[in-house]
Amino acid sequence: MLYADEPDRVEKRLARLGADWSLARAIERAPSEPVKTAGSTLLLPPDSFGSEVLGLERLIGRNNLTPVAFLEEGALVSRSVGRVTISGPGGGHGTGFMVSPSLLLTNNHVLRSKEQASRSTVAFAFQAGIDGRPLVPAVFQLEPQRFFVTDRDLDFSLVAVAERAAQGEALSSFGRLILSDAQGKVVVGEFVNIIQHPRGEPKQLALRENQVVDVLDKFLHYESDTREGSSGSAVFNDQWEVVALHHSAIPKTDTEGRPLSIGGTVWRPEMGEDQLAWKANEGVRISRVLRALREVTLTGTAARLRDEVFTGGTTPSPVESTPPAAWTNGSAGLPGVEANGSRARETDGSTIQLTLPLRITFGFDPAHRTAAVTTPPSVLVPAPTTTPTLPTSGQTDGTSVVERDVNAALVNLRLARERPYYDRVSDIAARDVYYAGISTADGDALRRALTALLEETHSPRPRYKPIRLVYPWVDLHKDGRLRSIYSGKDFSAEEFIQADAAVVEARLARMHELLLHESAAGPAEFEAEFDALEASMPFNCEHVVPQSWFAKQEPMRGDLHHLFACEVGCNSFRGNFPYFDFPGFEEAVRDACGMREDVGFEPEEGKGSVARATLYFLLRYPGLVGDAQREFPENRLPVLLAWHDNEPVSEYELHRNAAIAEIQGNRNPLIDHPDWANEIDFSGVWP
């Protein structure tokens, strides 16, 4: 790496790391030319490896051993990174990060104008917790009327953020990243790390295997995994210093500068973006952003806010604030005892004051010295283990809507454990009566007859409420537990009921705030805000035909035949990608969920079940999906039929089918008569 970049830049990098160029040369014992052969450049005998050599090797060599503090500091800096959501015309998602107590940095192509920024928000803590469950994000309004600076050439926008979130969280609790225009933060051949919200999804991290391949005057090029929505992400070196503002990918080109396709030919727009051959990702060097920001003419409050970007304080860490310390029972927090490095002192006979980046006062009963802790809004607590309650506005006769749903679900669950799981004899009799008169002589006529039957018998048509219907009975396995449709991981029904109840409660509270503060917004803006809210707080329930394909309309949304238990992580990972069969599926999986690329998603488990559920949906709602580019195309039908043939109907699916028939009247023909899959002419189900 000593010779991968310009000597002057390498010397500055070594100086920043506390190393010395002459010492590095002496240790390497090699000429100052790029190494042409594979293997280590540290050609020293074992007895020459003293502490100085080993220390330097960790800094500039290829040893991937990293202090565990690397992860701890990464967790701290990630708090300052949030998802930017633009509502209304030109809406979408991007990423941004706090660079002062008040200002957020993102791309110009994410926030192009004050008007666009004024209808945008940033959500911090939009991510999964260590238990895999989603945290409740803190959503802040952007305030471009206070501060907004943008630069199209360098593709950055700097905007003020409200001091308080909709639910009262303090912006200061999420800290800020210290920016530096000093040279020597990264050289060619090093690795960078990118914290991002790809596709607007929960926060993710591209860690270390992202090599810098070029350092230009204004930009860095690096090999990394990013997606749409990653624009505006912070690019870090291994010391968690911000080195660049990520903004785009760079395609491969021929000698004439024309972009190339993955097949090596000149790319044409009609080929589609997925056929472009990409060379690297590109970020704007943070030193160039700071230089441009210094040159902007500002006065008054705007100048003061801009100057705060260049005020790094006395802390040596790139992040200026840390999350509130965890509070535990015991001696921690008592007078004279230090909790997580923060000093506690008694202010009077009944309170303890902790000196943290965030100042919190805890009250004690003098007689028992028992802490009565009020959790700050920024501290995210797990889903309640007791029945949640709504604010007063959501209650009737002292019982909230959510509480009533949970109580009903738990009663249903208790009753489910007292009844037979599946009565085969009765179900076969019901099946024969249901399809009486259906002829299989003609494939198109069979499809039309089944569509008419499924629609006619679909009564009642329950609305989407997995707490009451899916978890307590419909989706149970014979052992009384739920299994995620994509991963096969098992859960208790109570676990999903309580978790989704907490999400419902949080959604209702946020919607109440939205109605109060967005009363002047039009239908389109309100719908966009609502969609963003739902995306940030998903249920543990999967629609195998994504809701976006039918605009979340009923009866499709609540149709039980295509609703399955699915933990939030796999639910979000699948997104709205159509099903696909990857030839090299076993080579790349995400946890146990499956594989996802631009062309589609292949689950790790449940292929037969999701195939039959999707085929049912195509029969029940012909012409509804497949009319948009990312929806299930007709040429994917063989994928469903193959999954259907390879995984026979199980007792679990027979139970589901019978349970759903009891609730909403209709049945799934592919479960009742698997052989009909090859008899039905599906060509008429696409628009």
Side-chain angles (χ1 to χ4, degrees):
M1 193 180 298
L2 291 175
Y3 309 106
D5 208 332
E6 298 176 6
D8 179 63
R9 185 176 288 123
V10 173
E11 187 171 359
K12 290 177 180 177
R13 181 65 176 140
L14 289 171
R16 192 167 184 83
L17 293 172
D20 178 77
W21 173 260
S22 59
L23 176 61
R25 286 291 308 278
I27 291 173
E28 190 190 32
R29 306 282 179 84
S32 55
E33 295 178 0
V35 178
K36 302 297 184 182
T37 57
S40 173
T41 61
L42 294 174
L43 306 176
L44 296 181
D47 57 3
S48 299
F49 281 84
S51 59
E52 285 187 323
V53 177
L54 293 176
L56 183 62
E57 200 280 330
R58 283 198 299 273
L59 292 173
I60 64 173
R62 291 298 183 182
N63 189 337
N64 279 323
L65 292 175
T66 303
V68 72
F70 173 80
L71 297 178
E72 296 172 345
E73 192 164 14
L76 292 182
V77 301
S78 73
R79 286 179 53 80
S80 302
V81 179
R83 185 184 73 168
V84 177
T85 298
I86 305 97
S87 302
H93 296 294
T95 304
F97 52 100
M98 297 302 299
V99 296
S100 84
S102 303
L103 302 182
L104 176 124
L105 182 64
T106 186
N107 289 143
N108 165 270
H109 76 261
V110 173
L111 297 176
R112 297 184 184 277
S113 65
K114 281 188 176 182
E115 187 278 328
Q116 194 175 49
S118 66
R119 45 187 171 84
S120 302
T121 59
V122 59
F124 296 105
F126 176 44
Q127 63 194 76
I130 59 175
D131 59 358
R133 295 180 177 178
L135 304 181
V136 179
V139 182
F140 296 80
Q141 187 68 43
L142 301 187
E143 297 182 340
Q145 71 279 8
R146 277 205 300 140
F147 187 98
F148 185 81
V149 169
T150 191
D151 187 311
R152 185 172 181 178
D153 291 337
L154 289 179
D155 196 15
F156 76 83
S157 289
L158 193 63
V159 61
V161 182
E163 293 182 358
R164 293 279 174 181
Q167 297 300 309
E169 300 95 329
L171 179 63
S172 59
S173 66
F174 293 95
R176 46 82 65 100
L177 302 179
I178 306 300
L179 302 186
S180 170
D181 54 4
Q183 301 298 301
K185 291 191 291 295
V186 72
V187 295
V188 171
E190 282 194 277
F191 298 108
V192 292
N193 313 287
I194 305 176
I195 300 174
Q196 56 189 294
H197 286 277
R199 298 185 186 275
E201 295 171 357
K203 193 182 299 177
Q204 297 175 39
L205 172 63
L207 189 65
R208 298 206 79 220
E209 291 302 316
N210 313 295
Q211 195 168 35
V212 176
V213 296
D214 206 356
V215 179
L216 307 177
D217 179 55
K218 296 181 180 179
F219 305 102
L220 289 182
H221 288 176
Y222 38 87
E223 298 170 341
S224 178
D225 292 327
T226 58
R227 293 286 193 184
E228 312 92 278
S230 300
S231 295
S233 301
V235 182
F236 300 90
N237 61 17
D238 271 359
Q239 289 71 49
W240 293 108
E241 295 176 301
V242 180
V243 298
L245 171 66
H246 174 73
H247 79 137
S248 70
I250 305 299
K252 293 181 179 179
T253 57
D254 62 10
T255 56
E256 298 179 22
R258 296 175 297 181
L260 297 176
S261 70
I262 56 178
T265 61
V266 175
W267 178 83
R268 301 184 305 279
E270 57 267 25
M271 292 181 176
E273 188 179 348
D274 60 326
Q275 292 300 305
L276 266 172
W278 298 104
K279 174 185 176 183
N281 276 297
E282 182 178 86
V284 185
R285 292 176 62 181
I286 206 66
S287 58
R288 300 304 182 263
V289 172
L290 292 175
R291 179 188 299 176
L293 187 58
R294 288 184 190 274
E295 295 172 354
V296 177
T297 301
L298 297 171
T299 59
T301 301
R304 179 182 58 79
L305 291 175
R306 185 263 311 274
D307 292 345
E308 288 180 349
V309 175
F310 299 94
T311 305
T314 58
T315 173
S317 170
V319 67
E320 195 174 67
S321 179
T322 57
W327 184 268
T328 56
N329 291 330
S331 62
L334 294 180
V337 178
E338 294 191 359
N340 296 325
S342 302
R343 296 200 61 80
R345 65 183 180 86
E346 188 167 337
T347 57
D348 57 34
S350 61
T351 62
I352 295 294
Q353 189 176 73
L354 288 169
T355 303
L356 297 164
L358 177 67
R359 193 180 297 275
I360 310 170
T361 298
F362 297 91
F364 291 92
D365 181 276
H368 302 288
R369 306 292 292 179
T370 302
V373 180
T374 300
T375 305
S378 59
V379 178
L380 302 169
V381 297
T385 55
T386 57
T387 304
T389 58
L390 272 180
T392 305
S393 59
Q395 296 177 337
T396 56
D397 299 327
T399 304
S400 74
V401 176
V402 180
E403 184 177 2
R404 290 164 61 186
D405 282 342
V406 170
N407 289 339
L410 295 177
V411 169
N412 287 341
L413 181 61
R414 178 175 55 81
L415 294 175
R417 290 167 175 164
E418 298 173 359
R419 64 182 296 190
Y421 181 69
Y422 176 63
D423 186 339
R424 183 177 297 273
V425 174
S426 298
D427 190 46
I428 290 176
R431 179 198 65 186
D432 293 340
V433 171
Y434 185 78
Y435 297 103
I438 295 292
S439 172
T440 61
D442 178 81
D444 183 69
L446 175 58
R447 176 188 63 79
R448 294 176 182 275
L450 289 175
T451 295
L453 177 64
L454 295 177
E455 181 177 6
E456 179 184 356
T457 57
H458 189 176
S459 178
R461 299 180 177 183
R463 299 184 67 83
Y464 178 56
K465 192 166 286 190
I467 290 177
R468 280 206 181 194
L469 301 176
V470 178
Y471 307 145
W473 176 238
V474 167
D475 211 45
L476 287 182
H477 284 255
K478 197 168 185 177
D479 61 359
R481 294 179 65 82
L482 299 171
R483 285 178 176 76
S484 170
I485 187 61
Y486 294 146
S487 70
K489 184 178 179 181
D490 73 322
F491 302 87
S492 69
E494 293 94 335
E495 189 175 355
F496 273 12
I497 290 169
Q498 299 288 4
D500 279 14
V503 172
V504 172
E505 187 177 38
R507 281 187 181 183
L508 289 174
R510 292 293 179 90
M511 285 303 299
H512 181 65
E513 290 288 331
L514 185 61
L515 288 169
L516 288 177
H517 297 291
E518 300 293 333
S519 57
E525 288 77 6
F526 185 86
E527 183 177 354
E529 292 286 355
F530 184 71
D531 288 345
L533 176 63
E534 288 204 315
S536 69
M537 298 180 184
F539 289 155
N540 291 287
C541 185
E542 166 72 343
H543 292 78
V544 299
V545 177
Q547 298 185 70
S548 60
W549 295 4
F550 50 83
K552 301 181 181 179
Q553 298 297 307
E554 300 287 1
M556 293 76 71
R557 191 174 190 232
D559 193 326
L560 295 167
H561 282 293
H562 79 128
L563 301 184
F564 292 83
C566 180
E567 75 268 37
V568 167
C570 285
N571 192 338
S572 299
F573 181 67
R574 186 267 169 110
N576 63 353
F577 286 80
Y579 293 119
F580 188 79
D581 211 331
F582 291 95
F585 173 72
E586 69 281 357
E587 298 175 4
V589 296
R590 188 266 195 188
D591 292 334
C593 302
M595 181 174 180
R596 186 192 74 183
E597 296 289 350
D598 286 341
V599 291
F601 167 75
E602 182 176 357
E604 176 73 9
E605 299 285 346
K607 295 178 184 177
S609 299
V610 300
R612 284 180 279 274
T614 306
L615 292 172
Y616 157 84
F617 191 97
L618 295 174
L619 288 173
R620 171 64 182 88
Y621 308 103
L624 191 61
V625 302
D627 58 339
Q629 184 178 1
R630 296 197 65 82
E631 293 181 2
F632 201 88
E634 187 172 0
N635 61 12
R636 300 280 175 90
L637 178 63
V639 172
L640 296 181
L641 295 178
W643 290 358
H644 167 73
D645 289 336
N646 293 337
E647 291 188 11
V649 175
S650 63
E651 185 180 27
Y652 155 70
E653 283 184 88
L654 293 171
H655 153 76
R656 270 183 57 93
N657 197 32
I660 294 170
E662 288 180 341
I663 296 171
Q664 68 179 45
N666 61 1
R667 304 176 66 93
N668 186 338
L670 287 310
I671 293 176
D672 288 325
H673 294 283
D675 54 313
W676 284 4
N678 297 314
E679 304 284 344
I680 300 169
D681 180 3
F682 283 96
S683 61
V685 304
W686 277 273

